[in-house]
Amino acid sequence: MKDKISVKLLIKIVLVGTIFSIVIIYFQTSNISSQASFTEPIPLPPTISAELQKLIDAQSRGNDSNALNKELNVGLPVRLVIPKIKVDATFEYLGLTATGAMDVPKTPGNVAWFELGPRPGEIGSAVVAGHYGWKNNIPAVFDSLYKLKKGDKMYVVDDKGATTTFVVGEVGIYDQNADASNVFGSNDEKAHLNLITCEGVWSVTLKGRPSRLVVFTDKEN
């Protein structure tokens, strides 16, 4: 009788141990999978850091564009609305990382305005970044940015309640080492809003995506 009890006890111990092992393996695999789908898009490649520094210097010195912008009296951006891809997002205000690249939004649902450049609606190129792809299939603000085409419209609402309309002009893709200075700079004395996010297949080596998708827009007259 004791032998039968011992055998039953042994079987129970083996079953419990097996189930416990399966649970551990499942969660380890699940964690690896969620990491593989996670992306921290942007920052832009280091090759444009010099251009970013030029913009910062220009802001501190003052120039013709700054004089024109003072007359425009544009408020700080608070919301970005893109009806075609169902975006209605809150703005964060960000600058540079320690490596000299543009910083990224802290959450997947927000967009980030590069506050060292012009405000959306001011003369020059205002740059706005947003995430594409997120862990656990959580929606990110620019998941559908690639769907925008020439002529599509978007709207920036500022802290004064004013709404500025922008129209898509073109869409560009930049690899990690491309010169993307035209994303941040313009000299046509017009107002532009350029949206940027990640593009391409996730790379374990890069811990991100290899390219950047940029949507160039112009302020509607």
Side-chain angles (χ1 to χ4, degrees):
M1 177 67 71
K2 289 183 179 179
D3 289 341
K4 288 183 179 180
I5 293 173
S6 297
V7 171
K8 288 181 179 180
L9 180 61
L10 179 62
I11 291 173
K12 287 182 179 180
I13 292 172
V14 171
L15 284 174
V16 170
T18 302
I19 293 171
F20 183 72
S21 298
I22 291 172
V23 169
I24 291 176
I25 292 171
Y26 170 79
F27 279 107
Q28 286 178 338
T29 305
S30 175
N31 185 48
I32 292 172
S33 174
S34 63
Q35 287 177 354
S37 63
F38 177 70
T39 176
E40 284 288 354
I42 2 195
L44 282 170
T47 50
I48 66 160
S49 294
E51 182 64 26
L52 290 176
Q53 190 58 56
K54 288 179 184 178
L55 286 171
I56 296 169
D57 293 341
Q59 290 290 323
S60 62
R61 286 195 308 268
N63 51 34
D64 293 340
S65 292
N66 286 338
L68 290 170
N69 285 333
K70 287 180 181 178
E71 294 179 7
L72 291 173
N73 196 28
V74 176
L76 291 167
V78 293
R79 297 203 71 77
L80 174 67
V81 180
I82 312 176
K84 182 174 180 177
I85 57 175
K86 296 181 173 64
V87 166
D88 186 352
T90 300
F91 274 96
E92 297 176 19
Y93 305 155
L94 300 176
L96 297 174
T97 65
T99 60
M102 181 181 175
D103 208 345
V104 300
K106 300 298 185 278
T107 61
N110 288 351
V111 292
W113 164 55
F114 181 60
E115 62 180 348
L116 299 178
R119 299 179 182 186
E122 287 186 335
I123 303 301
S125 294
V127 180
V128 173
H131 289 286
Y132 167 80
W134 199 260
K135 60 182 178 180
N136 300 326
N137 294 318
I138 295 173
V141 65
F142 282 167
D143 280 344
S144 298
L145 192 68
Y146 68 93
K147 296 180 180 179
L148 294 181
K149 305 294 182 185
K150 184 174 182 178
D152 289 335
K153 293 185 178 183
M154 62 190 67
Y155 310 90
V156 174
V157 181
D158 68 23
D159 60 349
K160 299 178 180 180
T163 300
T164 304
T165 303
F166 295 89
V167 183
V168 175
E170 60 179 309
V171 178
I173 295 177
Y174 295 78
D175 65 29
Q176 289 276 350
N177 299 313
D179 177 11
S181 56
N182 65 320
V183 176
F184 290 84
S186 62
N187 54 13
D188 59 4
E189 295 190 355
K190 295 181 180 180
H192 307 280
L193 179 69
N194 300 331
L195 311 182
I196 182 169
T197 193
C198 279
E199 203 275 338
V201 178
W202 171 271
S203 168
V204 175
T205 303
L206 295 173
K207 295 182 179 179
R209 302 177 192 272
S211 304
R212 303 292 176 262
L213 173 69
V214 181
V215 174
F216 295 89
T217 78
D218 307 311
K219 180 181 177 181
E220 186 176 64
N221 296 325

